């Protein structure tokens, strides 16, 4: 049985129960309230996203420090791109413009900085508070064109939650 969504209720994919966006956000709101500090919150949020969205193969958060994006927690394979200037990569482009970027085919985008040979698509969502960029959520998928407006909606809401705590 394989349904992408069942009208706002639980979704079933390949026999596994996964949460819909609203359920994930409600859980993450509770986590945000109880987290002792920002670092543990970021780790918990990334673990939730990785677990609930099987097409998220690498998930990380970069924070903007002295005009540089610094990778704080991540879940997935190690990447060489632990510090990125704002004029480099898809990450730099998203942070510079303050806009979510979805790249369906990373190998066709000249801005792309590879972190894994398996990665095929990427979404980067800025974390901002009152117009100021604090950092961004970066997610890679091994599937081409893995990210839809559903992922954008979820991750922009997660970014807004994180902004309250950073
Ligand atoms: N692909 C990113 C670099 C970060 S790695 O994906 C973890 C980019 O092009 O900015």
């Amino acid at each position: 049985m394989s349904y992408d969504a069942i009208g706002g209720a639980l979704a079933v994919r390949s026999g596994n129960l996964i949460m819909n966006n609203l359920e994930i956000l409600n859980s993450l709101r509770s986590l945000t309230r109880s987290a002792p500090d920002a670092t543990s919150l970021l780790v918990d949020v990334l673990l939730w996203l990785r677990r609930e969205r099987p097409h998220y193969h690498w998930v990380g958060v970069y924070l903007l420090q002295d005009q540089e994006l610094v990778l704080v927690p991540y879940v997935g394979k190690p990447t060489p791109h632990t510090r990125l200037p704002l004029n480099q990569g898809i990450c730099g482009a998203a942070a510079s413009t303050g806009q979510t970027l979805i790249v369906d085919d990373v190998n066709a985008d000249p801005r792309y900085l590879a972190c894994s040979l398996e990665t095929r698509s990427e979404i980067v969502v800025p974390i901002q508070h009152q117009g100021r960029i604090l950092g961004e959520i970066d997610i890679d998928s091994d599937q081409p064109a893995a990210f839809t407006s559903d992922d954008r909606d979820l991750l922009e809401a997660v970014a807004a939650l994180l902004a309250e705590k950073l």
Side-chain angles (χ1 to χ4, degrees):
M1 196 159 64
S2 175
Y3 298 109
D4 274 336
I6 309 173
L10 280 178
V12 181
R13 265 194 205 128
S14 311
N16 294 322
L17 284 178
I18 62 166
M19 288 181 163
N20 67 27
N21 282 358
L22 192 61
E23 289 165 328
I24 293 181
L25 286 168
N26 283 336
S27 301
L28 296 186
R29 254 182 221 114
S30 304
L31 269 185
T32 306
R33 278 194 292 271
S34 60
D37 54 58
T39 306
S40 58
L41 174 65
L42 291 175
V43 172
D44 283 347
V45 165
L46 293 181
L47 288 169
W48 266 80
L49 291 173
R50 176 77 185 86
R51 188 183 66 215
E52 296 298 331
R53 291 292 177 264
H55 58 297
Y56 294 5
H57 292 109
W58 187 97
V59 295
V61 167
Y62 286 86
L63 293 181
L64 188 61
Q65 294 173 1
D66 298 328
Q67 294 304 299
E68 201 174 38
L69 293 163
V70 180
L71 182 61
V72 197
Y74 67 92
V75 182
K77 292 181 188 166
T79 171
H81 305 296
T82 54
R83 301 180 84 89
L84 284 171
L86 288 172
N87 62 356
Q88 282 186 21
I90 293 162
C91 287
S96 309
T97 59
Q99 302 292 317
T100 295
L101 286 179
I102 293 178
V103 178
D104 288 341
D105 177 1
V106 290
N107 294 313
D109 191 318
R111 299 169 299 183
Y112 175 63
L113 299 169
C115 106
S116 151
L117 285 179
E118 285 85 35
T119 297
R120 303 292 302 279
S121 57
E122 179 164 4
I123 182 168
V124 186
V125 179
I127 301 169
Q128 40 199 328
H129 183 65
Q130 295 175 346
R132 193 165 62 92
I133 302 290
L134 306 177
E136 61 194 16
I137 301 168
D138 179 22
I139 302 187
D140 292 344
S141 181
D142 297 351
Q143 299 168 18
F147 303 106
T148 66
S149 57
D150 203 50
D151 299 292
R152 176 196 293 265
D153 291 347
L154 171 65
L155 296 169
E156 288 183 350
V158 172
L161 270 183
L162 294 179
E164 291 170 18
K165 200 79 180 185
L166 294 177

